[in-house]
Amino acid sequence: MTLKALAQSLGITLKYLFSKPVTVPYPDAPVALKPRFHGRHVLTRHPNGLEKCIGCSLCAAACPAYAIYVEPAENDPENPVSAGERYAKVYEINMLRCIFCGLCEEACPTGAIVLGYDFEMADYQYSDLIYGKEDMLVDVVGTKPQRREAKITGKAVKPGYVVPYVRPELEGFKAPTEGGKK
C-alpha cells in the first residue's frame, strides 16, 4: 500500500514538474481584482468640490472593529466644507483595526465613504497606518508613504499615482490597471 501511495505522489510531482507555473509576477503584472473588492477607504466629494461627509458618525457606529473616529463640526455658511449643516472636522480610520467588511460604506447616508481598489498599504510605523481625512479624500496625489517621503526629501510626489476610486455600483465600472495605479 505504501508503494502505491508513493507512486501516486511521484506521478503528481512529475505531472506538475513540466507544466507552466500558475503564479503571477505581482509587481510586474497587473493584479486582476473583482468588481466587489474592498480595498482602501476613499472619502468622496460632490461634483462642485464639497465633501460628501456630513459628520453623522454612522460609519463609526456601524464599524464592528471600532476602527473609525469622526469628530463633527458646524459648517460655516460663508465658506462651506460640505453640503450639509455639519462636516467631519476629524475623520480617522485605523487601518490596523479595519477588517474591510464594508459596513461603513453601507451605513453612510450620503455615499461619502467607499472602499476603493487600493490594497498596497504597507508601512513601518503604527502612527502611519492611521489614515486621516487628508489621506483619504478622492484625487489625493500619492500614497501616504510617498507623500511622507516627498516631505522629508523635498522632492515631488510621483506624478503618475492618484488615489484610485472606482465603485461599479456608484460610478460605472472601470477596471483598475496595475493594482489600482493610473
Side-chain angles (χ1 to χ4, degrees):
M1 189 173 259
T2 58
L3 286 175
K4 182 179 177 187
L6 180 65
Q8 282 180 337
S9 62
L10 285 174
I12 292 171
T13 304
L14 288 173
K15 176 183 170 186
Y16 287 103
L17 183 65
F18 300 108
S19 64
K20 188 176 177 181
V22 182
T23 56
V24 176
Y26 163 60
D28 300 327
V31 177
L33 298 175
K34 302 292 182 189
R36 292 178 55 181
F37 176 78
H38 286 171
R40 191 170 79 74
H41 301 75
V42 178
L43 284 171
T44 59
R45 296 178 186 265
H46 288 288
N48 62 3
L50 294 176
E51 297 173 8
K52 286 186 178 181
C53 182
I54 57 172
C56 66
S57 300
L58 286 174
C59 54
C63 183
Y66 303 107
I68 302 174
Y69 172 73
V70 180
E71 187 178 314
E74 293 296 321
N75 216 353
D76 181 18
E78 301 298 321
N79 190 16
V81 177
S82 76
E85 293 177 7
R86 298 187 313 171
Y87 72 101
K89 183 171 85 172
V90 177
Y91 195 102
E92 292 180 344
I93 296 182
N94 186 338
M95 298 310 255
L96 293 174
R97 295 189 66 129
C98 180
I99 58 174
F100 299 95
C101 62
L103 291 176
C104 55
E105 184 177 12
E106 290 179 24
C108 185
T110 61
I113 184 83
V114 294
L115 289 128
Y117 285 116
D118 194 12
F119 59 88
E120 298 168 329
M121 296 177 280
D123 218 323
Y124 295 104
Q125 297 177 4
Y126 178 86
S127 60
D128 293 333
L129 289 162
I130 298 174
Y131 282 59
K133 187 164 94 168
E134 64 280 354
D135 301 317
M136 293 184 292
L137 281 169
V138 71
D139 296 331
V140 171
V141 177
T143 63
K144 189 170 183 179
Q146 287 174 342
R147 289 194 314 274
R148 184 182 62 242
E149 183 180 341
K151 189 189 303 182
I152 292 169
T153 60
K155 296 180 182 176
V157 179
K158 293 179 183 177
Y161 188 89
V162 177
V163 171
Y165 164 63
V166 176
R167 291 302 291 174
E169 310 86 72
L170 303 174
E171 300 286 329
F173 181 67
K174 179 179 152 194
T177 59
E178 295 186 48
K181 295 178 183 172
K182 292 184 177 180

